[in-house]
Amino acid sequence: MSRLPAPRRALVVLAVSALAVLGAGAQSSASPDHHPPKESRMNQVIPAPVSVTPDRHGGEFRLTPDTVIRVDRGAKRVGEYLADLLRPATGYRLPVTDDRHGDSAISLDLGKVDPRLGDEGYTLDVDRRGVEIKARTAKGLFNGVQSLRQLLPARIESRSVARGPWTVPAGRIVDQPRFAHRGAMLDVARHFFSPEEVKRYIDQISMYKINTLHLHLADDQGWRIEIKSWPRLATYGGSTEVGGGPGGYYTQEQYRDLVAYAAERQITVIPEIDMPGHTNAALASYAELNCDGVAPPLYTGTEVGFSSLCIDKEITYRFVGDVLRELAALTPGEYLHLGGDEAHVTTEPDYIKFFQRVLPMAEDLGKKVAGWHDLLKASPLTSALPQYWGTTDSNQLVTDAVARGNKVLLSPANKSYLDMKYDENTPLGLSWAGYIEVDTAYGWDPGSYLQGVPESAVLGVEAPLWSETLEISDHIEFMAFPRLPAIAELGWSPWSTHDWESFRTRLAAQAPRWTELGIDFYRSPQIDWPA
Ligand code: ACM
């Protein structure tokens, strides 16, 4: 990559004012006529930071066999995470230490930044002697580490010793997210993905400062989480998937391990049990949940909207109560996602009746409710988080909820659904919400997208990945890359940085990293991928 396109240079100017706003003390190197050195990786970070100020002299820090990772108390785990990232390719020891002596260091400092950076913000300073990341919390340090990772050569992602030099361009980044919630969803119900496959996706999304993983754990084709009080949900309801494969489920122990793995990467898991529709796997597992007392067969097709829990049976509420109680006990995060979409065979009065009993169950467990925006028909509390998945830029249910005080999560299907095909030739995915090329995924402003929904009412964005056509990690990756980084940038970066030419240039620079990581990405013709 050579010199930055013009709009990105303007960003350096913008950076100066951003620094002033944050009161972080602009460095003298950030003069407006400054041209960043050619090849500077400082300007390649995705999501685009609030401000990037490459050193005017083009200096750099170089990792050596003597470099240490110096951590404050409370930063040790992030330090170990960083060491684990850097050791394989460099072959260096990179001890994680609180010893203040020694020269060459990457320092992770807690609590010494402007409080306006918030819990997730950080500053990153690089000079000849070292790298210093500062943040108020481990979350902020982790975000700084992800930026640092992208400042190193792509070969740093190699899992075996690779050729250096391991240089980091000198300069300063000051950064914090635009939106609190930056999510990815994985549908493990239509096709089951093993804990290892889910962890692989967690690793990938964490590179782009995604902080929430929504797991779609139950649908018509499969129930994927062990519920001890209703064991057949998993052992029978989880025993197949779309196409009739073997399916699978997570034991509670495996699930806790996934939640912990995500938490180490500063990602909160939101579990979803979809109801009252999308419930064939449950209805097939327990005949008594059906209004007629007859269990339907397991389902391995891809139709939607044909199943419903039995609204007038008391056992339905015992079932939902037991499931939510076990799920809440597995969930350190604040939300349980209750689905609520496409309940086409549940009448509207029944739908409302159902959720008027179920919503308080989640609240009584100390959890907030998340749900697809259809759930707004049942008027949940203002603490509930409706997730917009429509394909138009206005929705009365959502507008009314925002007027009542709800915040919303945006995942418009025609922009952010990673399972939509890129174009008519894409071998995987669906197209009911249209084709989504990279510029479409990137080309909308969450802060002004929905009529009647101001930026202040938007909690954030999510990139859902439904798995009717996806069976293995390769498939996940082909659909998520490169669009997941686009949605991640919409969620993190200030709108003032939004620039397609800059984004496509930075995206191209990610490709060698994905190749090192074995990520099978879609080579969109919109991007000038390196040879
Ligand atoms: C959905 O796509 N049915 C939420």
Side-chain angles (χ1 to χ4, degrees), residues 341-342 372 389 417 432 466:
D341 59 322
E342 296 176 314
W372 301 105
W389 64 280
Y417 268 34
W432 62 263
W466 299 98

Side-chain angles (χ1 to χ4, degrees), residues 142-170:
F142 185 84
N143 290 326
V145 160
Q146 294 305 334
S147 293
L148 170 60
R149 182 177 182 179
Q150 293 185 35
L151 300 183
L152 283 154
R155 290 182 311 280
I156 198 68
E157 304 295 348
S158 170
R159 296 298 87 187
S160 56
V161 175
R163 195 162 41 84
W166 305 110
T167 57
V168 184

Side-chain angles (χ1 to χ4, degrees), residues 357-367:
R357 286 198 61 180
V358 167
L359 292 171
M361 292 180 184
E363 291 146 13
D364 289 349
L365 290 162
K367 295 297 179 187

Side-chain angles (χ1 to χ4, degrees), residues 98 125 151 163 165 198 210-211 283 299 308 319 333 353 379 391 439 499 531:
D98 56 9
D125 288 282
L151 300 183
R163 195 162 41 84
V198 177
I210 294 287
N211 65 2
L283 296 167
Y299 182 69
S308 179
F319 162 74
K353 190 166 31 163
S379 306
T391 56
D439 61 347
D499 182 85

Side-chain angles (χ1 to χ4, degrees), residues 334-336 338 359 362-363 367-371 375 380 383-386:
E334 57 182 340
Y335 291 104
L336 298 181
L338 305 183
L359 292 171
E363 291 146 13
K367 295 297 179 187
K368 295 182 187 170
V369 168
L375 184 67
S383 62
L385 181 64

Side-chain angles (χ1 to χ4, degrees), residues 72-94:
D72 274 347
R73 247 201 339 202
K76 188 142 196 321
R77 296 182 86 102
V78 182
E80 292 291 354
Y81 170 91
L82 175 61
D84 285 344
L85 273 183
L86 304 182
R87 281 174 186 145
T90 61
Y92 300 160
R93 278 180 54 242
L94 297 167

Side-chain angles (χ1 to χ4, degrees), residues 438-454:
V438 184
D439 61 347
T440 301
Y442 184 70
W444 58 289
D445 177 3
S448 63
Y449 183 69
L450 268 188
Q451 286 175 35
V453 179

